[in-house]
């Protein structure tokens, strides 16, 4: 009886399914698949080899920087260093604050030529692409917020700051508290906002004929009013505004009078909503009647922001650096009262706590998951990624602070910007969405809903095939999250359920199951739609993932003399490039050869073996059991494409192997071998090769039924 297995789309399946002949996937599964790739079309092919690009003495983490599909770089993070690779060569190197034990938890988000680097234990950094091989790495320049209320120790502490002394330079100040212990060593590096009052003020002048005169400038937030008095004067009055003390004066309004007795006096009021705005009035007298000009402003509050640089032993004083300018003089308007009304600490920096997750969403920079506030999400103002402040009254484009309400305090370790903003914790998956027009997020229109309780390991999820793929908390299962219209939410499905033995499997009685936990993964979209997973034992697995055609095909990957530590992908020439960190004594940066070239079948010069083993042959309709009779595989036909040679043998007897040869052809070609190795209940075959290309499209055994 001649049979055929025309597809291997399920890849290697768990031994728990080796008797499940009732499943459709049995007909497309394999018992073993090593150093081969399941093709979306159903066949299997040898994976290409790895080419060494460079090495490093420590383990690395690879992160892609993709400006566009033809302009990209690979970032290699090592022990306190970052190297930039362009076209397979290092073009720049930088010092970073991240030791090797922390680089695995690094998260990034990119918008155009800027990438934000986030880690729970370190301040945010910004990598800016200035040109093809020119990058700049610098601390992220926050401009405001978010702020949190002080601890109990601060509630009755009065803090003052000398705003006038220039002895230590304009930017350096000393904060002084009336209470010991107000400042702690853990505050060093964090921001503090000090708020003071600017009292309502007024100024006046009397004009001189033929000369422009101006009132004293007033700092304004709120209303600014200008009035004139005097009988029968003629002349001009201008209201002028500038931004910042060093800004340029711009005319806001001009009034002309030829006879104020008949045309009336000036009474003009303007409302100012911005900070650091200054106003004045200027007047020009044209006849012999003097003009009296009065300018008044209402009181308001203003804040200065400092970065704490040192703390005294008793916690009463703190050295601080003004976070605006190193050179601008510390002068206050005459109406200012230097008494501090209140003070707030920045949400990040205290006790070394910083956001550990980052994304860009709806033109906001989104940060989340600091160690002190693990379930809090912060969103910047719209279009201003450096500003996390809010206005009064609240505006739609203001910054947003949102805390997840969950039964457990598992922190947010990753964010994914899909149609909605998705947040991932060890205990569940969350959707953060807008309640405004067209789903727009605003401070008054934002909601967070838990989507599932699968939980995820602290590895950045990846968008693949229109789904969000993530690793379950324990590191031995893989899930895909997709939107379900009937559920009106995101639903997770397990991708690894038919091949779970690749990650955890018991092999010996009386011993614990072998644990091959996932430590990193990447998505190689072209040509085959492959997910590459690095495992804790140094091996790897691939999953050919095409949800549109329900293809989920797993295979194991091993490299001779090496251990896989991580993967990342970049756009490349006619394919997505897979880069790998591989330990071979030192830690190499290696790149997978292009599969469609079929030229490289060695890893850094060392040949590797590719192999498959079929499931046991079964025939339907006999005794109602899976394997009712002994079977003999008398002959085997293997249909291949662009292949030269391989070896085949019974699944349990490699010594009785036979050689298969094909005429290399772009079309299908058959190779046939006689077997006649005896009858067995578990009849199955294996195919191996260590030389040249091999793509198998189908296997056709001729089976004889015995007693």
């Amino acid at each position: 009886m001649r049979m055929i297995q025309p597809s291997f789309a399920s890849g290697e399946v768990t031994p728990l399914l080796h008797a499940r002949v009732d499943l459709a996937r049995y007909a497309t599964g394999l018992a073993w698949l090593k150093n081969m790739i399941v093709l979306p079309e159903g066949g299997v092919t040898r994976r290409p080899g790895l080419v060494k690009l460079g090495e490093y003495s420590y383990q690395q983490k690879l992160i892609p920087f993709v400006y566009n599909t033809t302009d990209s770089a690979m970032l290699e993070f090592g022990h306190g260093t970052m190297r930039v690779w362009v076209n397979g060569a290092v073009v720049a190197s930088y010092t970073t604050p991240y030791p090797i034990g922390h680089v695995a938890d690094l998260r990034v988000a990119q918008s155009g030529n800027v990438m934000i680097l986030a880690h729970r234990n370190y301040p945010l950094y910004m990598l800016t692409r200035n040109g093809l091989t020119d990058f700049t790495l610098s601390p992220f320049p926050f401009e405001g917020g978010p702020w949190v209320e002080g601890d109990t120790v601060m509630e009755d502490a009065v803090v003052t700051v000398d705003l006038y002394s220039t002895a230590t330079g304009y930017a350096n100040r000393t904060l002084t508290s009336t209470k010991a212990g107000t400042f702690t060593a853990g505050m060093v590096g964090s921001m503090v906002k000090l708020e003071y009052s600017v009292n309502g003020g007024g100024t006046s002048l009397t004009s001189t004929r033929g000369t422009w005169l101006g009132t004293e400038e007033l700092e304004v937030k709120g209303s600014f009013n200008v009035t004139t008095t005097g009988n029968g004067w003629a002349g001009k009055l201008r209201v002028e505004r500038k931004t910042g003390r060093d800004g340029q004066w711009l005319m806001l309004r001009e009034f002309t009078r030829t006879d104020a007795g008949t045309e009336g006096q000036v009474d003009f009021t303007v409302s100012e909503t911005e900070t650091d705005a200054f106003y004045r009035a200027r007047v020009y007298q044209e006849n012999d009647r003097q003009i009296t000009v009065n300018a008044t402003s209402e009181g308001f509050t203003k804040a200065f922001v400092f970065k704490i640089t040192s703390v005294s032993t008793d916690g009463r004083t703190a050295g601080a650096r003004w976070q605006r300018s190193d050179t601008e003089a510390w002068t206050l308007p005459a109406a200012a009262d230097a008494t501090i009304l209140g003070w707030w600490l920045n949400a990040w920096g205290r006790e070394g706590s910083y956001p550990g997750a980052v994304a860009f969403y709806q033109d906001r920079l989104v940060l989340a998951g600091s160690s002190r506030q693990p379930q809090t999400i912060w969103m910047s103002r719209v279009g201003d990624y450096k500003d996390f402040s809010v206005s009064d009254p609240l505006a739609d484009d203001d910054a947003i602070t949102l805390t997840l309400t969950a039964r457990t305090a598992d922190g947010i370790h990753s964010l994914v910007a899909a149609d909605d903003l998705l947040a991932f914790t060890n205990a569940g998956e969350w959707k953060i969405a807008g309640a405004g027009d067209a789903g727009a997020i605003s401070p008054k229109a934002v909601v967070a809903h838990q989507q599932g309780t699968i939980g995820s390991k602290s590895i950045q999820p990846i968008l693949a095939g229109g789904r969000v793929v993530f690793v379950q908390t324990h590191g031995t299962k893989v899930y895909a999250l997709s939107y379900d219209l009937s559920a009106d939410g995101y639903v997770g499905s397990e991708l690894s359920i038919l091949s779970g033995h690749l990650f955890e499997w018991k092999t010996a009685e009386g011993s614990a199951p072998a644990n091959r936990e996932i430590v990193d993964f990447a998505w190689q979209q072209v040509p085959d739609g492959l997910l590459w997973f690095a495992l804790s034992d140094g091996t790897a697995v691939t999953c050919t993932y095409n949800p549109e055609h329900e293809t989920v095909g797993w295979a194991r990957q091993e490299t001779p003399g090496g251990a896989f530590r991580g993967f990342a992908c970049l756009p490349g020439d006619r394919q997505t490039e897979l880069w790998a960190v591989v330990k071979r004594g030192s830690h190499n940066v290696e790149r997978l050869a292009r599969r469609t070239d079929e030229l490289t079948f060695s890893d850094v010069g060392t040949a590797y073996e590719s192999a498959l083993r079929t499931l046991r042959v079964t025939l339907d309709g006999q005794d109602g059991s899976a394997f009712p009779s002994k079977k003999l595989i008398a002959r085997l036909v293997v249909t291949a494409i662009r292949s030269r040679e391989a070896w085949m043998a019974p699944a349990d007897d490699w010594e009785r192997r036979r050689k298969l040869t094909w005429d290399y052809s772009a079309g299908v070609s058959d190779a046939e071998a006689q077997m006649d190795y005896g009858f067995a209940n578990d009849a199955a075959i294996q195919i191996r090769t260590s030389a040249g290309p091999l793509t198998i499209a189908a296997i056709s055994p001729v089976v004889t039924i015995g007693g």
Side-chain angles (χ1 to χ4, degrees):
M1 179 180 298
R2 190 179 186 100
M3 306 178 66
I4 185 169
Q5 183 171 354
S7 172
F8 313 96
S10 295
E12 182 178 332
V13 298
T14 173
L16 294 173
L17 297 177
H18 286 193
R20 291 295 306 275
V21 297
D22 58 316
L23 293 178
R25 290 290 183 92
Y26 188 94
T28 60
L30 293 166
W32 182 271
L33 189 61
K34 182 182 75 171
N35 287 334
M36 300 193 79
I37 291 169
V38 177
L39 297 173
E41 297 82 2
V44 292
T45 190
R46 293 196 77 192
R47 73 157 173 87
L50 292 161
V51 178
K52 180 179 176 180
L53 299 178
E55 64 182 50
Y56 190 67
S57 56
Y58 294 92
Q59 183 173 332
Q60 309 105 306
K61 179 180 178 67
L62 299 176
I63 296 176
F65 186 108
V66 181
Y67 182 68
N68 57 45
T69 56
T70 60
D71 184 353
S72 59
M74 186 64 76
L75 310 178
E76 171 208 344
F77 288 86
H79 185 60
T81 64
M82 184 191 78
R83 297 196 296 185
V84 180
W85 293 76
V86 175
N87 297 326
V90 176
V91 299
S93 181
Y94 302 91
T95 299
T96 75
Y98 316 115
I100 196 61
H102 288 180
V103 295
D105 294 323
L106 196 61
R107 296 290 185 269
V108 302
Q110 186 180 340
S111 176
N113 63 350
V114 173
M115 175 180 282
I116 309 301
L117 284 63
H119 193 290
R120 278 192 175 187
N121 301 117
Y122 303 96
L124 264 71
Y125 271 76
M126 180 170 65
L127 181 67
T128 304
R129 173 191 174 278
N130 307 308
L132 184 62
T133 60
D134 182 13
F135 292 79
T136 302
L137 181 66
S138 58
F140 188 83
F142 286 105
E143 292 182 351
W147 306 105
V148 295
E149 298 292 340
D151 292 344
T152 304
V153 71
M154 307 174 192
E155 292 179 355
D156 55 353
V158 177
V159 175
T160 57
V161 58
D162 181 3
L163 297 174
Y164 299 97
S165 172
T166 61
T168 57
Y170 292 121
N172 297 302
R173 301 290 109 182
T174 297
L175 312 181
T176 304
S177 173
T178 57
K179 187 174 182 179
T182 299
F183 304 107
T184 65
M187 294 181 183
V188 174
S190 64
M191 304 292 183
V192 59
K193 179 176 74 170
L194 303 179
E195 189 173 81
Y196 70 93
S197 64
V198 177
N199 299 326
T203 181
S204 63
L205 66 81
T206 301
S207 64
T208 299
R209 185 172 183 176
T211 302
W212 279 101
L213 296 178
T215 64
E216 294 181 9
E217 63 185 55
L218 295 177
E219 188 171 5
V220 175
K221 185 179 180 183
S223 65
F224 175 71
N225 176 256
V226 178
T227 61
T228 60
T229 59
N231 295 322
W233 60 266
K236 295 180 180 179
L237 176 74
R238 292 177 180 173
V239 178
E240 297 179 337
R241 178 188 186 274
K242 72 174 181 179
T243 301
R245 296 190 181 277
D246 297 327
Q248 298 294 316
W249 286 105
L250 300 175
M251 187 175 68
L252 187 67
R253 186 74 177 270
E254 183 177 77
F255 302 89
T256 301
R257 297 287 186 270
T258 56
D259 183 353
T262 59
E263 295 175 304
Q265 304 289 345
V266 174
D267 188 347
F268 174 73
T269 300
V270 62
S271 180
E272 176 61 57
T273 59
E274 302 294 326
T275 57
D276 294 327
F278 295 84
Y279 284 77
R280 71 180 181 184
R282 299 182 69 214
V283 64
Y284 184 85
Q285 177 186 333
E286 294 180 342
N287 61 8
D288 58 358
R289 301 293 183 94
Q290 286 186 319
I291 312 166
T292 300
V293 180
N294 301 291
T296 59
S297 63
E298 64 179 332
F300 64 96
T301 59
K302 187 177 181 179
F304 283 139
V305 176
F306 299 87
K307 182 176 183 179
I308 297 178
T309 57
S310 63
V311 172
S312 65
T313 303
D314 62 4
R316 289 183 180 273
T317 62
R321 187 170 184 82
W322 186 30
Q323 293 299 289
R324 182 178 172 190
S325 169
D326 290 342
T327 58
E328 184 174 350
W330 275 81
T331 57
L332 294 174
D337 182 345
T339 302
I340 302 300
L341 300 178
W343 64 296
W344 295 263
L345 283 171
N346 190 264
W348 314 313
R350 186 174 180 187
E351 312 295 342
S353 173
Y354 298 92
V358 59
F360 287 100
Y361 185 69
Q362 291 191 2
D363 205 22
R364 298 177 185 265
L365 175 62
V366 184
L367 301 167
S370 70
S371 56
R372 290 179 63 87
Q373 296 175 275
Q375 293 181 287
T376 298
I377 299 170
W378 299 274
M379 303 183 191
S380 73
R381 297 176 68 97
V382 174
D384 191 350
Y385 305 144
K386 302 174 184 178
D387 193 349
F388 286 76
S389 64
V390 296
S391 55
D392 185 16
L394 205 61
D396 287 344
D397 63 347
D398 277 349
I400 300 170
T401 299
L402 175 70
T403 300
L404 304 182
T405 303
R407 292 189 300 271
T408 63
D410 294 274
I412 299 168
H413 62 71
S414 300
L415 297 168
V416 173
D419 289 340
D420 298 295
L421 180 66
L422 302 176
F424 293 82
T425 76
N426 294 136
E429 302 76 51
W430 293 75
K431 177 181 78 171
I432 293 88
D437 294 340
I441 284 179
S442 75
K444 299 177 183 178
V446 59
V447 291
H449 295 296
Q450 188 164 3
Q451 303 298 288
T453 56
I454 299 169
S456 54
K457 186 178 178 180
S458 183
I459 299 176
Q460 177 66 42
I462 292 176
L463 282 166
R467 273 76 166 171
V468 180
V469 177
F470 64 96
V471 179
Q472 198 269 342
T473 305
H474 301 100
T476 55
K477 294 181 183 294
V478 179
Y479 282 80
L481 197 68
S482 60
Y483 184 80
D484 185 277
L485 186 62
S486 61
D488 191 22
Y490 289 83
V491 177
S493 59
E494 186 182 348
L495 301 183
S496 55
I497 189 167
L498 301 185
S499 305
H501 69 297
L502 294 171
F503 310 101
E504 188 173 37
W505 187 247
K506 187 176 178 65
T507 58
E509 186 177 3
S511 63
N515 183 356
R516 305 168 74 215
E517 189 174 337
I518 297 169
V519 296
D520 195 18
F521 77 113
W523 167 241
Q524 188 186 19
Q525 182 174 354
V526 180
D528 302 309
L530 284 177
L531 290 161
W532 289 79
F533 297 87
L535 307 183
S536 56
D537 69 347
T539 63
V541 294
T542 54
C543 176
T544 303
Y545 182 50
N546 189 324
E548 181 181 357
H549 297 287
E550 300 182 348
T551 300
V552 181
W554 293 86
R556 61 183 72 214
Q557 309 294 334
E558 300 174 4
T559 181
F564 292 109
R565 295 293 185 238
F567 297 114
C569 290
L570 282 179
D573 180 18
R574 291 180 289 159
Q575 74 159 23
T576 305
E577 293 180 354
L578 178 83
W579 291 50
V581 174
V582 185
K583 189 178 188 308
R584 304 185 192 274
S586 61
H587 286 83
N588 287 357
V589 176
E590 299 177 6
R591 185 169 59 191
L592 197 72
R594 190 162 59 187
R595 182 185 67 75
T596 53
D597 289 346
E598 295 180 337
L599 296 175
T600 304
F601 292 101
S602 64
D603 288 347
V604 193
T606 302
Y608 55 86
E609 181 184 69
S610 298
L612 66 80
R613 187 167 67 240
T614 66
L615 296 170
R616 293 188 288 178
V617 173
T618 181
L619 300 174
D620 294 333
Q622 296 187 23
D623 304 345
S625 60
F627 313 104
S629 305
K630 291 183 181 293
K631 292 167 285 292
L632 168 69
I633 301 178
R635 193 168 72 251
L636 182 70
V637 177
V638 179
T639 301
I641 301 171
R642 298 192 307 274
S643 303
R644 285 290 188 188
E645 65 178 50
W647 295 85
M648 53 77 64
D652 58 353
D653 193 351
W654 181 242
E655 296 302 320
R656 303 175 71 178
R657 60 188 176 271
R658 297 283 189 273
K659 191 172 185 179
L660 297 167
T661 59
W662 296 269
D663 293 327
Y664 186 92
S665 170
V668 295
S669 176
D670 290 336
E672 183 174 342
Q674 297 293 326
M675 295 186 68
D676 194 15
Y677 297 141
F679 288 89
N681 280 329
D682 58 350
I685 60 103
Q686 59 177 310
I687 298 175
R688 303 186 195 179
T689 187
S690 298
L694 176 64
T695 299
I696 299 176
I699 295 176
S700 303
V702 176
V703 181
T704 300
I705 306 300

